[in-house]
Amino acid sequence: MTHGFALPTTAPDRIGGLVAGKASSGGGVDLPVFYPGTGAQVTVLTEDGPEAVAEAVGAARRAFDAGPWPRLGTEARAAVLRTCQQVILDNADALARLECLNTGLVLRELRDRHVRRAAYNFGFFADFILQQAGARYDQADGYLTTVSLEPAGVAALIAPWNAPVALASMKVAAALAFGNTCVLKPSEQTPLAIARMVELLSEVLPEGVLNLVNGRGTVTGAALVADSRVDRVSFTGGTETGRHIMSAAGRNLTPCTMELGGKSANIIFASADLERALDGALLGIFSNNGQQCLAGSRILVERSIFDDFVGAFVERAGRIVVGDPMSDTTEIGPLASQAHMERVLSYVGIAEADGGTLLTGGARRADLGEGYYVSPTAVTAPSNDTRVAQEEIFGPFGTFLPFYTADEAAAMANATEFGLVAYVWSDHLPTVMSVTDRLRAGVLWVNTPMMRELRAPFGGYGASGVWREGGRACADFYTEAKTTTIPKTPPPLRPLGRA
Ligand code: NAD
């Protein structure tokens, strides 16, 4: 039986970039864009070649060097950011539908969480910059030294496909809030909602402040990162891509933030509220269709409760509703692309070849039609050294491993190249403290899944990232500190050559 799920919305016949408020000059190949819910092609993306990218950077450069944006006071800039927030909220339904058409993520989640977050990112930074202050040091010898934080310049912002609008808006809001101008490059797989968001924001922002280029990473993205007129590169995506981008940016000595992959441990102790931990473990690996950097994909469970916990998890996973992203009852939609679905499912064979056991799922839901639907999947692995315990699968695919002691749990959690987040579930405070002190991850969630506080830094250790995103970390990254020293009453200087 095949399903012809309806499309969430329609897309323009063709979409492309936006440079200083006008259509970019393109110049690259045509790229098809698909709806993962049915596999249907929904539009064509015009790729921006190196010349179009250079035009976009030029527009951002001019807007920075000569335009009003970096010179606006923070109150005026905050007011514009609030208008950006409102414009996104006013268009929430249309943006969520475009995002659904492009990602296959559940429409309800997109509307209630992703698009709201996109709007909130602008509101958050509007508030944040009003509190921003430099520093003043009155020195004992009569000198005054001040530190001012000035906009850094042109920011190149490169976003992934898994939560396009939510992640791209964070970068845009932060870069703009501190007075920068920017060129945004979304994933070539998911340009739709971002294109509309940029169109809407461009009507609010001065010309050239926000520019959009589209295309493949190796063409459009590479040209953007290599441009020596770019002052900051902010990247979210895979670890290997991050390595390429950072070395390309390094040639221009351009500072980077890298938000990269993860293989985060979800550590469940027998002393936890196990019902809550079970809800958290399911959310940790299956929300956002399992396609999230912060997924709790290595589920470490204390040996004494391992069999019962895994049994309960499998039972609940089997009841998760997979299907049409537009249905109010759907909990997991399709994966983002056919290639991605095939890659995720290939890990079932990889798990078994390494001695693991498939617990649930592991197959395409062909009964749902041509879309890329996969059953929620879980395996056990015989050791933390196996590929399913070490590699980021980036889908609804959890790997279970048992542990005996808190020491062993912390050691296993840390035994990976990544270090993005870690989850800990226990109601026994000494256990929580002993393990959280030792975990090498940028973000720890204790007895809760995925609670993001935008004032706090977010990012990872090791192969999960470089630098952080969030309040203060963004302020540091998107500004240059300028130190100025003035003598209040000029003291005599050492009289060289007067003797
Ligand atoms: P990806 O690395 O394939 O692509 C990310 C972006 O980089 C895309 O826009 C792509 O076109 C561009 N790109 C690729 N090669 C490039 C190059 N040489 N130069 C410049 N740009 C280039 O990642 P993806 O598959 O889109 O996203 C999934 C990955 O993102 C996962 O690894 C996930 O963990 C990670 N991610 C991390 C976070 C975080 O906050 N740490 C958040 C979301 C996703």
Side-chain angles (χ1 to χ4, degrees), residues 158-162 167 185-188 215-218 221-222 225 235-239 241 244-245 259-262 292-293 392 394 420 458 464:
I158 303 180
W161 51 257
N162 64 310
L167 295 173
K185 196 208 88 64
S187 166
E188 59 277 27
R216 290 164 293 173
T218 47
V225 172
F235 171 72
T236 298
T239 297
T241 315
H244 281 292
I245 291 179
E259 299 290 338
L260 307 176
Q292 48 187 352
C293 56
E392 185 182 46
F394 215 60
L420 190 54
F458 180 91
S464 285

Side-chain angles (χ1 to χ4, degrees), residues 35-333:
Y35 175 45
T38 60
Q41 183 176 334
V42 293
T43 187
V44 173
L45 179 69
T46 308
E47 182 167 69
D48 289 304
E51 277 181 28
V53 173
E55 286 161 12
V57 177
R61 189 77 258 167
R62 279 192 301 283
F64 185 80
D65 292 341
W69 188 250
R71 288 153 200 92
L72 278 186
T74 46
E75 284 183 339
R77 221 186 288 141
V80 179
L81 294 175
R82 281 192 208 297
T83 310
C84 293
Q85 174 182 23
Q86 194 56 49
V87 162
I88 294 175
L89 287 176
D90 291 346
N91 290 274
D93 185 63
L95 287 169
R97 283 176 182 279
L98 283 168
E99 189 84 320
C100 182
L101 183 65
N102 223 178
T103 60
L105 295 173
V106 174
L107 180 60
R108 183 185 66 250
E109 289 282 307
L110 291 170
R111 205 185 281 130
D112 296 349
R113 295 163 65 88
H114 292 225
V115 175
R116 281 192 166 276
R117 167 52 66 83
Y120 179 68
N121 286 337
F122 286 89
F124 169 78
F125 280 107
D127 287 343
F128 192 90
I129 57 173
L130 293 178
Q131 306 302 323
Q132 197 192 9
R136 170 189 166 116
Y137 302 99
D138 287 282
Q139 291 164 248
D141 51 8
Y143 284 89
L144 168 67
T145 292
T146 61
V147 181
S148 54
L149 301 174
E150 304 201 339
V154 173
L157 311 174
I158 303 180
W161 51 257
N162 64 310
V165 157
L167 295 173
S169 60
M170 174 74 185
K171 293 188 187 300
V172 172
L176 296 186
F178 297 103
N180 302 280
T181 61
C182 55
V183 180
L184 170 64
K185 196 208 88 64
S187 166
E188 59 277 27
Q189 280 185 56
T190 53
L192 273 176
I194 288 181
R196 181 69 189 130
M197 180 177 77
V198 169
E199 232 169 52
L200 291 165
L201 298 181
S202 296
E203 285 166 20
V204 174
L205 294 161
E207 186 179 299
V209 166
L210 171 59
N211 306 277
L212 175 73
V213 292
N214 281 298
R216 290 164 293 173
T218 47
V219 177
T220 315
L224 178 58
V225 172
D227 196 311
S228 60
R229 296 169 297 169
V230 166
D231 299 292
R232 293 289 186 274
V233 173
S234 174
F235 171 72
T236 298
T239 297
E240 250 340 277
T241 315
R243 289 195 171 99
H244 281 292
I245 291 179
M246 214 163 149
S247 39
R251 284 194 278 277
N252 296 328
L253 300 176
T254 312
C256 298
T257 59
M258 298 272 133
E259 299 290 338
L260 307 176
K263 189 73 186 179
S264 299
N266 197 345
I267 307 172
I268 295 154
F269 286 94
S271 51
D273 170 343
L274 291 175
E275 267 308 302
R276 186 171 167 80
L278 179 60
D279 286 336
L282 289 155
L283 278 169
I285 186 57
F286 295 133
S287 54
N288 218 50
N289 296 355
Q291 301 166 150
Q292 48 187 352
C293 56
L294 42 74
S297 50
R298 269 187 310 151
I299 311 168
L300 314 182
V301 185
E302 192 165 346
R303 182 67 254 185
S304 60
I305 56 161
F306 188 81
D307 295 340
D308 287 349
F309 190 87
V310 170
F313 182 99
V314 165
E315 198 266 325
R316 288 273 298 278
R319 287 199 272 139
I320 289 176
V321 181
V322 181
D324 181 359
M326 284 202 296
S327 161
D328 272 346
T329 55
T330 294
E331 293 174 296
I332 295 188

